[in-house]
Amino acid sequence: MQEEDFPAADRIISLIEAVFKRDLELREFDIIISHIDDNTCPVVHVRSEHCFGIKSWCVKPLYKFVYQELLKIRENKTHKRQALFPEERQRCENLLNTALLLHPEVATFWNTRRELATRGHLDPYTELKFCSLVSSFKPKTADVFVYRRWILSSLLKDLSEADRTRILTSELEAVYRAATKYPNNYNAWNHAHWCLELATPDLKLQLLYLSDSWMSSHVSDHSVMQFRQQLLQNVPELDWCQGSLCEVCPAWYKEYRTSHHVENKHTNHFIHELASNSQLIASYPGHEALWYHRRFLVHELGVRCDPNLVPCLREQERQAGVSPDDADYKLKHLRWMDKFLLPREGK
């Protein structure tokens, strides 16, 4: 693609770079639908909202231009077997910014960006912000999260625990924004799993409270349930059933705890989660993800935490009232308990 085919390409790229320099807190990017005869500026920046967009009429020719230019740079670099000159490097970075904003699914462009970052030409913190900007437009793109992890793997090595926690907290916030924009976003939640493995005990406990509200806004999302499950298995053993939190624990468990003299703090996590799950099922009937999460909770309680709870759990699940939309899910749930939990009771 020659520049003569789209003479406005370099001007638009320059406008995009001017937005990056003018607003260091950019949060949103999008394509603005417009007619081909639109004579206004193709790049729109709303600085007060930290967002910008590109008019749709120029997206296709602009992407073709940057694509061919980047391939040309890579080809020349391969033949010469040498690093780019400073002016070539800056142009390559500008082209990459435009190309990845428009089409972040191209792994070759992310690999080119890795080469620039490896040579120290790109700031890691700026790269994380750029990834968030890309995710605001294409929130489910796996390559964005893979690149984030690659940046973080080297960035987190030499940081203090406080700085690591701050960055990981920011990463999990980015995950939630991406998951909110695109439901059932397993690529985003896979990134959250990766961050959780690096989290401190205090951050895990903080996430335990925070992700409780995430579940209520993603009741059909199996991915957020799996993240919550990993969190429950790794959270510090602190007693949730104290003060106001004790109010959500079901009455049958309080009686069981008194009669059996049980004070298992890890069990309390799952009992609290089971009570919250009951509230979500009652408030949002007909969601399979909630019932699969309930199956996990019952399994953890009846197998790992306290096998003596199985008969109590089975009776509690049988007596629980559900809406007509959840009747089939409840029946399957009880059959699952009979098949996989009750046999263990007699062993």
Side-chain angles (χ1 to χ4, degrees), residues 2 15-16 49 70-71 73 115 146-147 209 245 310 339:
Q2 299 299 318
L15 289 171
I16 293 172
E49 300 293 333
L70 283 168
L71 291 186
I73 289 174
E115 293 173 9
V146 172
Y147 183 70
Y209 289 94
L245 285 176
V310 172
K339 182 177 182 179

Side-chain angles (χ1 to χ4, degrees), residues 22 60 79 114 159 167 183 210 219 276 288 322:
R22 189 163 57 245
K60 185 175 180 179
H79 291 326
R114 283 185 179 88
L159 296 180
I167 290 176
L210 187 60
V219 292
S276 297
E288 184 182 48
V322 296

Side-chain angles (χ1 to χ4, degrees), residues 21 157 264-265 278 344:
K21 293 177 181 178
K157 288 180 181 178
N264 187 328
K265 294 181 180 180
S278 297
R344 293 176 178 270

Side-chain angles (χ1 to χ4, degrees), residues 280-342:
L280 288 175
I281 288 175
S283 301
Y284 306 98
H287 290 280
E288 184 182 48
L290 292 174
W291 284 96
Y292 275 107
H293 184 54
R294 190 174 189 86
R295 184 178 294 186
F296 162 81
L297 297 172
V298 169
H299 178 271
E300 292 296 303
L301 282 167
V303 175
R304 296 192 180 185
C305 293
D306 188 353
N308 295 321
L309 268 174
V310 172
C312 230
L313 280 168
R314 177 63 174 81
E315 184 62 21
Q316 169 67 19
E317 296 296 271
R318 186 186 68 80
Q319 294 180 3
V322 296
S323 71
D325 291 335
D326 286 312
D328 287 342
Y329 291 131
K330 177 183 175 180
L331 182 60
K332 292 178 183 178
H333 181 66
L334 293 175
R335 287 174 178 171
W336 172 83
M337 288 189 69
D338 292 342
K339 182 177 182 179
F340 292 100
L341 291 188
L342 289 181

Side-chain angles (χ1 to χ4, degrees), residues 101-116:
L101 281 174
L102 297 177
H103 196 4
E105 296 86 356
V106 182
T108 300
F109 295 160
W110 289 109
N111 290 336
T112 304
R113 208 167 181 95
R114 283 185 179 88
E115 293 173 9
L116 294 175

Side-chain angles (χ1 to χ4, degrees), residues 15 38 71 83 107 158 198 204 229 233 236 240 249 266 273 277 292 300 317 324 338:
L15 289 171
D38 188 345
L71 291 186
D158 303 322
L198 304 175
K204 290 178 181 178
Q229 290 162 16
Q233 291 175 321
W240 273 39
C249 288
H266 198 58
E273 187 75 4
N277 179 263
Y292 275 107
E300 292 296 303
E317 296 296 271
D338 292 342

